[in-house]
Structures are given as C-alpha cells and as structure tokens.
C-alpha cells in the first residue's frame, strides 16, 4: 500500500478539489462592498435528495418528474446528491475522474427541471450553480434562473475517507455559495460500510474527518469574509449514504419491518443513538422518519435482500438486514423542514430519500434588488421576521 502522504498527493491530482462545473460563472465585476444597514429576511424553498444508485447508469427514460414534484410544488433551489454513480472497483477508485455518469445525470435532471408543466405553460428555467464528482460521490446544485445572478463565490471541497483513509471510494463532496448575505453549505457523503457491532465507530470517524478536513478557499477582497469550514456557514445540510444500521438481530429487524413498527426500530437505529449520546454530529437535527428502511433491496424488486425464501435457505450467502442507511440532517438556525420521505425507484439496492426545507435568506436593505428578490412575480418568497420558527 502507498503511504498516506503519497496517497494524498495522488488524490489532490486526481480529484481536482477546486474544479467544478457550472452553467456560467456569475459576474462580480460591478460588485462593491455593501453598506451595512439593517437587514430584511425572506424565505426560499430548498429541495434536497440523496440516492445510492449502486453503480448503475440511469436509463434514458427514467422518470424524475414525480420525484421532483416540480409541477405542483416547485422549489427555488434543487440539491441532488448521489453515491456510487460508478462501480467502486479499483479502476474507478484509482483512475482520473470519469464524468460520463455525472454528465448523464445532469442531462436527465435538467430535462426534468425544465420540462413544461402543460402544453400551454412555458418551461421552468433553472441554472446549474455547481456540479462536482469524486469517484462515485456526485453533487449537483440548480437554482431558478432569476436567483442565479444573486449567487456568489461557489466552491467545492473533496475529502477522501476510503482506502488508507484518503481515497475517494468513501468520503464527501461539499459545496458552498453565498446567496445575497446568507452562506449555504451542502455536504454529500458516503461513510464507512459494515453491519457488525462497532462499525458505527468507523462511520463516526469518517464524519469527524470530513468536518476537520473540509475547507473552502477564503474570498479575497472587501466583499465578505466567507467561512472556510462547514459548520461556520449560515445554513448547512448534510446528506448521503451514511450507512448507519439497526442494532437488532436480523430476524427481529425483519419482523418489525413487516409490522411497519418504525418506532421500535428507530430506538435501535445507530445514527439516532450516536446523536443522542453526542458521539457524532453534535448539534445536528433530523426530521421524523415515517417511511420504511431504504436498504438493502434485490434489484428491480420490493423484497429486502435476504427476504427471498430460497435465498434465506442458502446459509452461505451474506445477508444485510434492512436499515435506514440514506439520511438527511441539518445544522444551525434558519432552516425548517417541511417534508422528509423516500422514493420507490427500483434502479438500485437503495431507495432515494428527499427533504424539503424553508430557509431564511438575509439581505441588506441598501441593495436595489431587494424588493424584486423577496417579492418576485412567481411569489416564491415571502417576508420573514426574526421570530420565524427554526
């Protein structure tokens, strides 16, 4: 095996941590330092989704419209996180970034976001703020076109936690940007796997490593001293295949899943336990889970892996009990979750999860674009006070 310093140099060269894809860079040439007067607040809607697709390329006819729900309840910002968009084999882990899968996902997402609602309505117009892949981890962020010009300083930070604690088969891709005077950070991660007791400590270690090693470049000039660390941003959302399991015998877990007894199962959920004991993600929150475990299914099936009668008789097979591996959590104030559920696509052995948030956004009254931002023609923004529930 390579020593860690050599692995780190190799990863920096291959991951291109500071390189990302966007539609067009915002124009900062006419920006001046704002006059710090009193501030107004508004709210916008953020859609966040995470899906481990198991190295399977999406078919061209995959239906994303119901998942996005853009026709009935559109959001202002869409954040998509994927894990295993390529198989986690040696060639993909060690090779330079293979962007074919991420390009295809972006094409599918753009088509779904911009598809006309009806024959008589114009299509929605969304712009890609940032898009970044590290091995199988992929994050892409889209906003309404009228918001795009208000976004500044997008950047990325990649942290590999896999082989030798440095390779990108596990780890995170984080993105940040400034929307008016509010900084946002989104963390897409794939933490250590393993269903044995004690494996949760490896996941905890990965999470702490990501918080420690993730770093965004400082912004030069007089505009704003943007944070460089994840937790220092105003609005922070973390999502992905966190891989936490359920501390129960396999048969007990499957029986409770059949009964849809989520309450008892969640009492033994590793992530809930680690959060409660303060061993990881201190200060983070998660919404109520009222949906079945997202892992692990037979492909193109509604049956959990190991639940097939013939397979269950095969003692040589290694089975994995159902678990809520795929999660969305958030940190800090100014975020309120209104939706948290899962999808039913059978593309992979995981089911996708999604959450919808309302987020407070702050802007100085001195800005001439304030009125348009908070009371645009589409009515997506509404005024807010500091007493808003958080």
């Amino acid at each position: 095996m390579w020593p860690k310093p050599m692995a780190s140099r190799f990863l920096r060269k291959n991951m291109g941590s500071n390189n990302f894809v966007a539609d067009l860079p915002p124009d900062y040439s006419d920006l001046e330092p704002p006059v710090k007067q009193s501030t107004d607040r508004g709210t916008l809607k953020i859609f966040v989704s995470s899906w481990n697709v198991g190295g399977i390329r999406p078919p061209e006819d995959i239906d994303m419209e119901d998942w996005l729900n853009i026709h009935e309840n559109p959001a202002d910002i869409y954040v998509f996180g994927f894990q295993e968009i390529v198989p986690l084999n040696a060639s993909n882990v060690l090779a330079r970034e293979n962007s074919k899968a991420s390009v295809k996902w972006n094409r599918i997402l753009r088509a779904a976001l911009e598809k006309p609602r009806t024959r008589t309505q114009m299509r929605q117009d969304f712009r890609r703020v940032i898009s970044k892949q590290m091995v199988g981890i992929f994050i892409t962020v889209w906003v309404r076109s009228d918001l795009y010009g208000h976004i500044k300083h997008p950047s990325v930070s990649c942290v590999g936690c896999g082989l030798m604690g440095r390779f990108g088969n596990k780890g995170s891709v984080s993105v940040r940007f400034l929307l008016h005077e509010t900084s946002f950070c989104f963390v897409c991660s794939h933490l250590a796997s393993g269903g044995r007791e004690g494996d949760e400590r490896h996941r905890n270690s990965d999470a702490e490593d990501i918080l420690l090693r993730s770093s965004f470049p400082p912004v030069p000039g007089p505009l704003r001293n943007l944070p460089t660390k994840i937790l220092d941003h105003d609005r922070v959302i973390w999502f992905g295949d966190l891989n936490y399991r359920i501390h129960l015998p396999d048969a007990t877990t499957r029986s409770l899943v059949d009964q849809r007894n989520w309450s008892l199962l969640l009492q033994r959920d590793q992530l809930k336990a680690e959060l409660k004991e303060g061993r990881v993600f201190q200060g983070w929150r998660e919404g109520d889970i009222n949906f079945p475990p997202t892992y692990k299914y037979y492909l193109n099936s509604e049956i959990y892996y190991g639940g097939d009668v013939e397979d269950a008789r095969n003692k040589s097979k290694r089975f994995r009990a159902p678990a809520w591996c795929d999660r969305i959590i958030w940190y800090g104030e100014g975020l309120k979750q209104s939706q948290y559920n899962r999808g039913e696509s059978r593309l992979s052995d995981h089911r996708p999860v999604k959450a919808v948030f309302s987020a407070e956004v702050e802007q100085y009254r001195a800005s001439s674009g304030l009125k348009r931002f908070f009371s645009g023609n589409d009515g997506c923004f509404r005024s807010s006070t500091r007493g808003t529930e958080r």
Side-chain angles (χ1 to χ4, degrees):
M1 278 292 185
W2 297 344
K4 284 188 177 181
M6 184 181 295
S8 297
R9 288 196 296 272
F10 178 88
L11 281 172
R12 282 195 297 270
K13 181 178 179 181
N14 281 270
M15 292 192 304
S17 297
N18 294 323
N19 300 322
F20 58 88
V21 177
D23 280 352
L24 288 173
D27 182 8
Y28 306 135
S29 59
D30 60 347
L31 291 178
E32 296 180 356
V35 178
K36 290 193 175 182
Q37 300 178 3
S38 56
T39 58
D40 282 333
R41 288 176 182 248
T43 60
L44 53 78
K45 183 182 295 183
I46 303 176
F47 173 102
V48 178
S49 171
S50 178
W51 194 3
N52 184 324
V53 294
I56 300 173
R57 291 282 185 92
E60 292 294 342
D61 61 348
I62 188 171
D63 184 7
M64 301 294 291
E65 292 182 54
D66 289 343
W67 181 239
L68 301 182
N69 198 23
I70 193 169
H71 294 170
E72 298 179 6
N73 196 14
D76 305 298
I77 299 177
Y78 286 84
V79 184
F80 303 97
F82 296 89
Q83 304 81 44
E84 297 189 44
I85 64 167
V86 297
L88 300 185
N89 52 40
S91 60
N92 284 326
V93 172
L94 298 176
R96 283 186 173 274
E97 184 177 296
N98 181 348
S99 62
K100 291 182 180 179
S102 58
V103 168
K104 186 171 185 179
W105 275 111
N106 268 329
R107 185 173 67 248
I108 289 170
L109 294 170
R110 183 189 292 275
L113 287 169
E114 298 186 344
K115 186 175 182 179
R117 301 180 187 181
T118 68
R119 291 182 179 179
T120 60
Q121 289 177 314
M122 296 181 64
R123 69 180 180 89
Q124 292 279 349
D125 190 11
F126 283 86
R127 302 285 292 278
R128 181 175 51 186
V129 174
I130 198 165
S131 182
K132 178 63 180 177
Q133 177 186 351
M134 179 186 74
V135 189
I137 302 172
F138 173 55
I139 185 170
T140 182
V141 181
W142 301 72
V143 303
R144 287 193 348 248
S145 59
D146 56 317
L147 291 180
Y148 187 82
H150 299 291
I151 288 180
K152 302 180 286 290
H153 312 301
S155 59
V156 303
S157 179
C158 298
V159 173
C161 299
L163 295 172
M164 300 185 65
R166 288 294 186 272
F167 280 87
N169 54 307
K170 295 291 191 294
S172 68
V173 180
S174 304
V175 305
R176 76 98 186 272
F177 55 82
L178 186 71
L179 175 55
H180 284 278
E181 302 306 322
T182 301
S183 60
F184 287 83
C185 183
F186 300 97
V187 183
C188 177
S189 71
H190 193 181
L191 305 186
S193 60
R196 294 174 299 182
E197 186 171 355
D199 284 339
E200 68 274 14
R201 291 194 291 269
H202 300 302
R203 296 184 262 279
N204 293 354
S205 178
D206 282 355
E208 293 299 326
D209 207 21
I210 288 166
L211 288 171
L212 177 66
R213 292 168 50 202
S214 296
S215 182
F216 300 97
V219 177
L223 292 174
R224 174 171 172 160
N225 185 22
L226 277 176
T228 60
K229 305 302 290 184
I230 290 173
L231 296 182
D232 293 333
H233 290 80
D234 298 319
R235 314 285 179 256
V236 187
I237 301 176
W238 187 315
F239 48 95
D241 182 357
L242 306 191
N243 252 323
Y244 288 95
R245 309 303 170 92
I246 297 171
H247 265 324
L248 284 171
D250 182 283
T252 304
T253 298
R254 294 180 187 277
S255 174
L256 291 173
V257 168
D258 290 340
Q259 299 170 37
R260 300 182 67 84
N261 194 333
W262 314 141
S263 178
L264 281 180
L265 284 167
L266 287 166
Q267 289 178 22
R268 303 303 298 274
D269 175 77
Q270 288 180 348
L271 180 57
K272 295 291 187 186
E274 299 301 292
L275 281 166
K276 182 178 180 181
E277 296 300 323
R279 289 189 286 262
V280 71
F281 293 120
Q282 295 183 25
W284 293 74
R285 287 174 283 176
E286 182 180 27
D288 293 335
I289 293 178
N290 294 305
F291 51 84
T294 57
Y295 175 83
K296 171 180 171 77
Y297 286 89
Y298 291 105
L299 295 182
N300 196 31
S301 169
E302 293 182 348
I303 301 174
Y304 285 103
Y305 195 69
D308 181 87
V309 174
E310 292 301 319
D311 280 346
R313 293 172 180 165
N314 187 347
K315 302 302 182 182
S316 64
K317 282 200 171 186
R318 181 184 175 190
F319 297 118
R320 297 167 181 84
W324 286 282
C325 289
D326 309 277
R327 313 289 275 266
I328 301 173
I329 59 179
W330 75 94
Y331 180 85
E333 300 180 342
L335 287 168
K336 180 181 178 182
Q337 189 183 83
S338 59
Q339 183 180 345
Y340 189 26
N341 53 29
R342 66 169 235 176
E344 300 305 326
S345 172
R346 302 178 184 179
L347 180 69
S348 79
D349 54 356
H350 288 251
R351 296 295 185 261
V353 293
K354 67 179 177 181
V356 176
F357 296 88
S358 60
E360 290 185 356
V361 178
E362 186 175 275
Q363 186 180 17
Y364 294 124
R365 286 182 182 157
S367 172
S368 61
L370 177 64
K371 187 175 181 180
R372 291 193 303 274
F373 174 65
F374 285 147
S375 56
N377 293 331
D378 52 18
C380 285
F381 295 95
R382 63 180 185 276
S383 61
S384 173
T385 66
R386 294 185 182 274
T388 301
E389 182 179 353
R390 296 171 178 175

